[in-house]
């Protein structure tokens, strides 16, 4: 596995893929470790997770540098990602015991009925490159603390991040086999899923990857959680604070170089403020510094791979050919690396890629609507349903609009984000199941009824 720095297109490392013997040894260790790990007290597992969080805090710079060189995230955002991983460790180290407490139920006199939460076993996690630490800790912190063991199949362009994460758990004192990583190709994943020792699968990734994993897991009657793509609407109503909405919208579209499932992708703007908002959004996006992601002043770095940059540009070109207007950007930068500038499209026809597909890069598709009802209709005119954002001066109005949006989460006067304290996940082609909060730690448990006479 060759690791290419997307800012320079230079090879920076090479990793040897795991052999079939390596895979067998990993699965065997995971199964053996689970038999004892499941019997450790939740408090012991919380203490180990707290230690993992401390390690992350102490190695922020090391891991941020690694992340940036492997996938191009601006260094300031890479540091913030490591800090967020430490926070999710802190959250579950503090609250796991409460989340896993048995639930009592009404029962006949003299009997006791509870639901208890027991771990399932080895869980396979197929994770993406765009948030190479956060996506992993989002699953590992709750699932391991619930008593499962984890096996990570990370994206092939971030193998260094995968091994660094395994290092965190090793150094925190987790037993051998509690968390391991497999450096394997995509076409080997199906065989791992079908192995009897794997009891559940979680995936964050594309729709095709989700369908493949869900199909294989379903054939083998294994629980899955899928967090897939999104084409999140960013609704700006006529009474919104235009400056605040434009600032937040530009950042929500370009964060992580625009490569986020929950990025603001479709800007749906009331006609009364459309022109002013578009001018403000354009000014914000033009102001961003594009450059070396290791430079502290960089706002937007490269796309993670050349092929991703080329695909994004193809979507923009096809949208313009279909009738969309290019306001800014729209051409890969003439420099080393996979750089695509902040871009705005307006007058977008349906169908076109900007209207119907997920644009995984710093490209904002802006739609004008005449009223609130049209805004809701446009927001829901998608196969995706991950997140949404609504901007209005009237909180009650925002809540009412939010309740009519088909999505896993809606934020009023705030950009969409994943937070350890609240459940996260989507509907439709954005997947199913929930991560984080109490819902996240109980997803991969056996909710066992325990009836005692």
């Amino acid at each position: 596995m060759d690791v290419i720095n997307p800012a320079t297109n230079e090879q920076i490392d090479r990793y040897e893929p795991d052999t079939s013997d390596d895979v067998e040894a990993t699965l065997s260790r995971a199964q053996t470790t689970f038999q004892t790990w499941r019997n450790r007290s939740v408090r012991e597992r919380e203490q180990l997770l707290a230690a993992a969080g401390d390690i992350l805090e102490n190695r922020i710079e090391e891991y941020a540098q690694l992340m940036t060189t492997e996938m191009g995230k601006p260094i300031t955002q890479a540091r913030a990602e490591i800090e967020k991983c430490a926070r999710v460790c802190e959250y579950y180290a503090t609250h796991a015991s409460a989340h896993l407490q048995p639930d009592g139920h009404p029962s006949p006199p003299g009997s006791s009925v509870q639901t208890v939460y027991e771990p399932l076993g080895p869980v396979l996690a197929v994770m993406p490159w765009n948030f190479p630490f956060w996506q992993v800790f989002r699953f590992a912190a709750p699932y391991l603390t619930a008593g499962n063991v984890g096996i990570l199949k990370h994206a092939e362009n971030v193998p260094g991040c995968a091994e660094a994460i395994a290092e965190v758990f090793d150094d925190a004192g987790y037993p051998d086999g509690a968390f391991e990583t497999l450096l394997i190709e995509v076409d080997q994943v199906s065989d791992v899923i079908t192995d009897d020792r794997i009891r559940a699968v979680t995936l964050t990734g594309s729709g095709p990857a989700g369908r493949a994993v869900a199909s294989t897991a379903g054939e083998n009657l294994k629980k899955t959680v899928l967090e897939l793509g999104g084409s999140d609407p960013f609704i700006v109503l006529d009474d919104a604070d235009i400056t605040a909405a434009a600032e937040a919208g530009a950042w929500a579209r370009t964060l992580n170089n625009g490569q986020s499932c929950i990025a603001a992708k479709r800007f749906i703007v009331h006609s009364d403020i459309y022109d002013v908002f578009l001018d403000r959004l354009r000014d914000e996006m033009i102001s961003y510094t594009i450059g070396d992601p290791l430079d502290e002043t960089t706002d937007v770095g490269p796309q993670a791979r050349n092929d991703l940059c080329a695909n994004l540009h193809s979507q923009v070109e096809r949208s313009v050919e279909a009738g969309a207007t290019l306001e800014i950007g729209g051409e890969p930068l003439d420099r080393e690396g996979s750089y695509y500038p902040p871009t705005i499209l307006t007058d977008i026809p349906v169908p076109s890629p900007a209207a119907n597909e997920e644009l995984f890069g710093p490209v904002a598709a802006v739609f004008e609507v005449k009223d609130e009802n049209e805004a809701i209709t446009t927001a829901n005119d998608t196969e995706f349903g991950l997140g949404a954002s609504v901007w209005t001066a009237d909180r009650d109005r925002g809540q009412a609009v939010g309740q009519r949006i088909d999505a896993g989460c809606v934020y009023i006067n705030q950009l969409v984000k994943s937070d350890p304290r609240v459940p996260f996940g989507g509907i439709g082609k954005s997947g199913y199941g929930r991560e984080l909060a109490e819902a996240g730690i109980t997803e991969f448990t056996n909710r066992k009824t325990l009836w005692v006479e």
Side-chain angles (χ1 to χ4, degrees), residues 145-223:
T145 311
N148 297 296
V149 297
I151 298 174
L152 170 65
K153 189 285 177 209
H154 218 326
E156 293 169 31
N157 59 328
V158 289
C161 290
E163 294 200 342
I165 293 167
E167 174 186 71
V168 170
F169 288 109
D170 285 343
D171 291 351
Y174 281 74
D176 188 30
F179 182 94
E180 296 200 56
T181 184
L182 287 176
L183 298 183
I184 58 175
E185 307 287 344
V186 171
D187 58 9
Q188 296 173 268
V189 172
S190 179
D191 288 340
V192 177
I193 295 174
T194 60
D195 191 285
D196 289 341
R197 289 164 292 192
I198 294 295
R199 300 302 304 275
V201 187
T202 180
L203 173 137
T204 298
S206 68
R211 284 190 289 272
V213 165
S215 176
T216 303
E219 290 174 357
N220 291 272
L221 298 178
K222 296 181 180 182
K223 173 75 180 287

Side-chain angles (χ1 to χ4, degrees), residues 64-219:
Q65 295 266 349
L66 171 63
M67 192 188 317
T68 294
T69 55
E70 284 199 328
M71 54 73 62
K73 186 189 304 288
I75 188 65
T76 55
Q77 297 177 34
R79 293 190 191 108
E81 182 170 334
I82 301 301
E83 290 172 351
K84 190 172 184 178
C85 293
R87 289 201 302 274
V88 79
C89 291
E90 179 185 10
Y91 175 84
Y92 282 109
T94 303
H95 299 291
S97 293
H99 291 333
L100 295 170
Q101 280 294 310
D103 296 324
H105 303 286
S107 58
S111 63
S112 170
V113 182
Q114 293 181 320
T115 295
V116 296
Y117 299 93
E118 297 181 349
L120 297 180
V123 177
L124 174 67
V126 183
M127 292 289 115
W129 47 263
N130 57 331
F131 290 90
F133 273 74
W134 170 243
Q135 302 282 13
V136 176
F137 276 90
R138 196 167 76 186
F139 102 83
Y143 296 168
L144 267 63
T145 311
N148 297 296
V149 297
I151 298 174
L152 170 65
K153 189 285 177 209
H154 218 326
E156 293 169 31
N157 59 328
V158 289
C161 290
E163 294 200 342
I165 293 167
E167 174 186 71
V168 170
F169 288 109
D170 285 343
D171 291 351
Y174 281 74
D176 188 30
F179 182 94
E180 296 200 56
T181 184
L182 287 176
L183 298 183
I184 58 175
E185 307 287 344
V186 171
D187 58 9
Q188 296 173 268
V189 172
S190 179
D191 288 340
V192 177
I193 295 174
T194 60
D195 191 285
D196 289 341
R197 289 164 292 192
I198 294 295
R199 300 302 304 275
V201 187
T202 180
L203 173 137
T204 298
S206 68
R211 284 190 289 272
V213 165
S215 176
T216 303
E219 290 174 357

Side-chain angles (χ1 to χ4, degrees), residues 74-394:
I75 188 65
T76 55
Q77 297 177 34
R79 293 190 191 108
E81 182 170 334
I82 301 301
E83 290 172 351
K84 190 172 184 178
C85 293
R87 289 201 302 274
V88 79
C89 291
E90 179 185 10
Y91 175 84
Y92 282 109
T94 303
H95 299 291
S97 293
H99 291 333
L100 295 170
Q101 280 294 310
D103 296 324
H105 303 286
S107 58
S111 63
S112 170
V113 182
Q114 293 181 320
T115 295
V116 296
Y117 299 93
E118 297 181 349
L120 297 180
V123 177
L124 174 67
V126 183
M127 292 289 115
W129 47 263
N130 57 331
F131 290 90
F133 273 74
W134 170 243
Q135 302 282 13
V136 176
F137 276 90
R138 196 167 76 186
F139 102 83
Y143 296 168
L144 267 63
T145 311
N148 297 296
V149 297
I151 298 174
L152 170 65
K153 189 285 177 209
H154 218 326
E156 293 169 31
N157 59 328
V158 289
C161 290
E163 294 200 342
I165 293 167
E167 174 186 71
V168 170
F169 288 109
D170 285 343
D171 291 351
Y174 281 74
D176 188 30
F179 182 94
E180 296 200 56
T181 184
L182 287 176
L183 298 183
I184 58 175
E185 307 287 344
V186 171
D187 58 9
Q188 296 173 268
V189 172
S190 179
D191 288 340
V192 177
I193 295 174
T194 60
D195 191 285
D196 289 341
R197 289 164 292 192
I198 294 295
R199 300 302 304 275
V201 187
T202 180
L203 173 137
T204 298
S206 68
R211 284 190 289 272
V213 165
S215 176
T216 303
E219 290 174 357
N220 291 272
L221 298 178
K222 296 181 180 182
K223 173 75 180 287
T224 52
V225 169
L226 303 180
E227 195 263 278
L228 307 178
S231 187
D232 286 9
F234 187 99
I235 299 173
V236 187
L237 298 176
D238 53 315
D239 63 345
D241 181 329
I242 299 174
T243 298
E247 289 176 355
W251 185 244
R253 176 60 282 197
T254 57
L255 180 69
N256 199 35
N257 308 332
Q259 300 166 127
S260 171
C261 296
I262 54 173
K265 298 191 175 86
R266 294 178 298 131
F267 291 78
I268 300 168
V269 186
H270 194 288
S271 58
D272 287 356
I273 59 168
Y274 177 83
D275 290 335
V276 176
F277 176 82
L278 181 59
D279 286 344
R280 299 271 175 85
L281 182 68
R282 183 189 296 113
D283 289 346
E284 286 293 325
M285 294 181 74
I286 288 174
S287 73
Y288 289 149
T289 299
I290 307 168
D292 180 357
L294 288 172
D295 189 322
E296 299 284 339
T297 64
T298 292
D299 299 305
V300 180
Q303 301 298 280
R305 298 194 312 260
N306 286 335
D307 62 306
L308 298 170
C309 187
N311 182 65
L312 178 67
H313 184 50
S314 172
Q315 290 175 303
V316 171
E317 287 186 313
R318 287 183 284 123
S319 296
V320 172
E321 290 168 2
T325 299
L326 183 64
E327 300 285 345
I328 60 169
E331 287 288 341
L333 299 185
D334 184 16
R335 58 183 294 174
E336 289 297 324
S338 306
Y339 285 89
Y340 205 85
T343 297
I344 297 177
L345 296 172
T346 59
D347 305 317
I348 298 161
V350 179
S352 68
N356 305 118
E357 300 175 10
E358 179 179 24
L359 302 185
F360 213 63
V363 179
V366 186
F367 299 82
E368 182 177 0
V369 294
K370 65 179 183 297
D371 57 30
E372 180 180 299
N373 287 329
E374 187 180 357
I376 294 167
T377 299
T378 303
N380 289 335
D381 186 19
T382 177
E383 296 178 324
F384 298 102
L386 192 53
S389 186
V390 180
W391 292 77
T392 172
D394 186 337

Side-chain angles (χ1 to χ4, degrees), residues 226-233 262 379-380 382-388 402-410 424-434:
L226 303 180
E227 195 263 278
L228 307 178
S231 187
D232 286 9
I262 54 173
N380 289 335
T382 177
E383 296 178 324
F384 298 102
L386 192 53
Q403 289 175 336
R404 296 173 63 189
I405 303 298
D406 299 328
C409 58
V410 180
F424 178 81
I427 61 172
K429 290 197 174 179
S430 290
Y432 52 76
R434 291 294 180 266

